[in-house]
Amino acid sequence: MMADERMRTGGRAGAGGRAGAADGGRPEMDFATLTERELEVLVLLASGEQNRWLARRLGITERTVRAHTTSIVRKLNLKSRFEAAIVSYLHAEDIRGHQGAASVI
């Protein structure tokens, strides 16, 4: 199954829980499972910038950015950083709604 097909159908085959789409064909994502810092990283992933730039922007190490990205991919049941960036772009308003006052955007 291709990434764009998973985005339309709600994830991997047999991945239950995200079968429907709440708004125009986009699968529902549970951003409440992400920490504040993971939400910040997720928002910045949509920029397409490298980990080095994200790390500088957030004042953390590249290794920490990779760790947050890995956690985001796992928690949202995605396959890659690229998919996470697509999710970030498609769900920007939802993600920002979950962020607290310490937003980087």
Side-chain angles (χ1 to χ4, degrees), residues 3-4 6-7 26 29 31 34 38-51 53-54 65 68-74 76-93 95-96:
D4 59 339
R6 276 195 311 279
M7 298 304 294
R26 288 184 284 176
M29 293 282 165
F31 299 113
L34 302 178
E38 289 168 347
L39 288 168
E40 291 173 351
V41 171
L42 181 58
V43 167
L44 292 176
L45 284 176
S47 71
E49 293 292 340
Q50 296 179 354
N51 287 342
W53 182 88
L54 299 180
V65 170
H68 287 312
T69 303
T70 299
S71 182
I72 291 164
V73 168
R74 180 181 45 79
L76 296 180
N77 197 27
L78 302 172
K79 282 201 164 205
S80 66
R81 171 195 167 105
F82 180 71
E83 261 191 324
I86 292 170
V87 165
S88 177
Y89 180 80
L90 293 175
H91 295 275
E93 290 180 23
I95 295 166
R96 287 189 183 102

Side-chain angles (χ1 to χ4, degrees), residues 50-53 55-56 60-68:
Q50 296 179 354
N51 287 342
R52 178 174 293 165
W53 182 88
R56 287 182 184 161
I60 58 179
T61 67
E62 287 181 64
R63 183 176 178 170
T64 303
V65 170
R66 283 193 308 271
H68 287 312

